[in-house]
Amino acid sequence: MNRSIAITATTYTPGFLLHEHYHDGATLSLIFRGGYTERVGHRRHECEPLAFVYKPPRIEHSNHIGRLGLGALFAEIWDLLRDEVLAARAAAGGPEV
């Protein structure tokens, strides 16, 4: 399977709001300072230090950074073969997954 990964150290200031969005690849975050509240649909998750947070590709969510800000490692993992198949389906007018 052909995969690609990008790992980024990220920081956010206290109270920062990331409006609803999604990532094309699966994501894995490791929080090492501060925390945030994540909303996925009607569910709310409190993400604190030393938490691992995983989301499959294309899951719409929003993040509200807590009062201590956020320091985290963020990884996005793409399944390149899957993306190529989806692009070919879309070009042929077929369904997207």
Side-chain angles (χ1 to χ4, degrees):
M1 188 169 289
N2 192 6
R3 290 200 172 134
S4 180
I5 186 169
I7 300 173
T8 307
T10 187
T11 59
Y12 288 98
T13 57
F16 191 82
L17 178 63
L18 292 158
H19 295 281
E20 196 163 280
H21 63 284
Y22 68 91
H23 305 274
D24 288 325
T27 60
L28 180 63
S29 302
L30 169 61
I31 301 160
F32 55 85
R33 181 183 51 78
Y36 62 96
T37 301
E38 180 166 80
R39 290 188 186 271
V40 179
H42 295 295
R43 293 185 172 192
R44 180 178 141 165
H45 305 279
E46 297 296 327
C47 305
E48 300 175 342
L50 301 182
F52 276 101
V53 181
Y54 170 79
K55 281 184 294 307
R58 300 182 178 102
I59 299 295
E60 288 194 8
H61 62 285
S62 64
N63 308 101
H64 184 218
I65 308 305
R67 63 182 179 80
L68 298 176
L70 177 68
L73 287 177
F74 176 80
E76 187 166 2
I77 305 143
W78 298 277
D79 183 334
L80 299 179
L81 179 59
R82 177 182 182 277
D83 290 345
E84 289 171 12
V85 168
L86 290 177
R89 282 186 190 165
E96 290 190 39
V97 177

